[in-house]
Amino acid sequence: MNYNSICSPIGCDCVTFDDTYNKEYGVFTSPNYPTQYEDSIDCLLYVFIADTHQIVKLSCLSGDFVKVFLNQGSGDTGVNEYSVWNSVLCGKSLDEFQSVHYSTGSVLIFEFHSDAIPNNSTGFSGTYQFVNKSLFQTDGQLLSGSQCDYQFVRLGANDSVRGTFYSPDYPSKYPTNANCAYHFFAKYNEKVKVLFQTIQLQEDDQRF
């Protein structure tokens, strides 16, 4: 990928991360961390680029308010003043924000600014990993013509007795206006057992 194609449209400086160098995870920090970062940083992009079969996992260890752009594909040209940010990576109180985020595609970007007012903030630090998409692949059959309708059918003795299913883009945030159906069909003398291992819904989606 041409890293300049991501940063150049809005004239931002860029820090890119495309390897963990045979380690389980890599580390990113704000400028000068853990000492105070500079005032008046106009635009600094942190760009995490995985292989096409991977997604990016970002974990905040501590730090200031940072906006994250999760829905970046390998062919995207970057972010600008009109780009919609998805979430907050860090914050003054980590209880208010998620501390772990996943990209929907192979690229994740966050943007850092600092104002001209002197402060004692030390910035932020975190880790990144590149995770195989196959770890979050639904085992059912995607129904033709649908975006996220699946069926799980057990007819013969050789059919699997268990499997996994995920919401769209999991473990990243699911898209708005998603309407997905999961159909489970057991053999005539069996029952279907569905176990949710984790559920995190947006507030408006918790109303049934």
Side-chain angles (χ1 to χ4, degrees):
M1 171 180 290
N2 182 1
Y3 301 150
N4 291 330
S5 67
I6 295 177
C7 302
S8 59
I10 54 175
C12 289
D13 290 330
C14 235
V15 183
T16 58
F17 303 83
D18 59 2
D19 203 326
T20 58
Y21 303 100
N22 297 319
K23 296 181 179 180
E24 182 181 356
Y25 58 84
V27 176
F28 64 90
T29 65
S30 55
N32 303 326
Y33 186 87
T35 59
Q36 182 179 342
Y37 51 79
E38 298 175 358
D39 302 330
S40 302
I41 296 176
D42 182 41
C43 178
L44 178 61
L45 292 185
Y46 288 69
V47 182
F48 302 84
I49 303 174
D51 290 336
T52 55
H53 66 283
Q54 296 175 320
I55 56 178
V56 182
K57 176 182 179 181
L58 217 61
S59 302
C60 175
L61 299 179
S62 64
D64 295 333
F65 187 91
V66 178
K67 295 178 180 179
V68 183
F69 302 87
L70 298 174
N71 301 329
Q72 299 292 312
S74 58
D76 288 351
T77 57
V79 299
N80 55 41
E81 64 272 24
Y82 304 109
S83 298
V84 178
W85 56 276
N86 303 93
S87 191
V88 175
L89 174 64
C90 295
K92 294 297 184 183
S93 172
L94 288 180
D95 293 337
E96 299 178 9
F97 306 111
Q98 284 181 258
S99 60
V100 179
H101 294 279
Y102 293 84
S103 64
T104 57
S106 58
V107 178
L108 188 153
I109 298 174
F110 72 76
E111 183 177 354
F112 178 61
H113 296 263
S114 66
D115 56 34
I117 301 175
N119 61 77
N120 296 320
S121 298
T122 58
F124 53 83
S125 67
T127 63
Y128 66 93
Q129 292 177 271
F130 301 134
V131 183
N132 285 335
K133 293 180 182 178
S134 60
L135 295 176
F136 309 102
Q137 182 175 343
T138 294
D139 292 326
Q141 177 185 0
L142 179 64
L143 297 181
S144 177
S146 74
Q147 181 181 6
C148 54
D149 291 350
Y150 286 87
Q151 68 176 12
F152 306 78
V153 181
R154 174 167 156 78
L155 297 176
N158 293 328
D159 293 334
S160 176
V161 298
R162 65 181 62 198
T164 56
F165 63 96
Y166 302 94
S167 56
D169 296 334
Y170 186 87
S172 186
K173 293 181 177 295
Y174 54 83
T176 57
N177 298 318
N179 187 5
C180 306
Y182 300 84
H183 308 270
F184 302 88
F185 301 95
K187 295 171 65 175
Y188 72 93
N189 60 342
E190 296 178 331
K191 293 183 179 180
V192 178
K193 177 182 178 180
V194 178
L195 174 64
F196 288 90
Q197 295 179 327
T198 179
I199 299 178
Q200 186 173 16
L201 300 178
Q202 299 180 33
E203 183 175 354
D204 291 343
D205 298 330
Q206 297 179 28
R207 303 168 184 170
F208 297 100

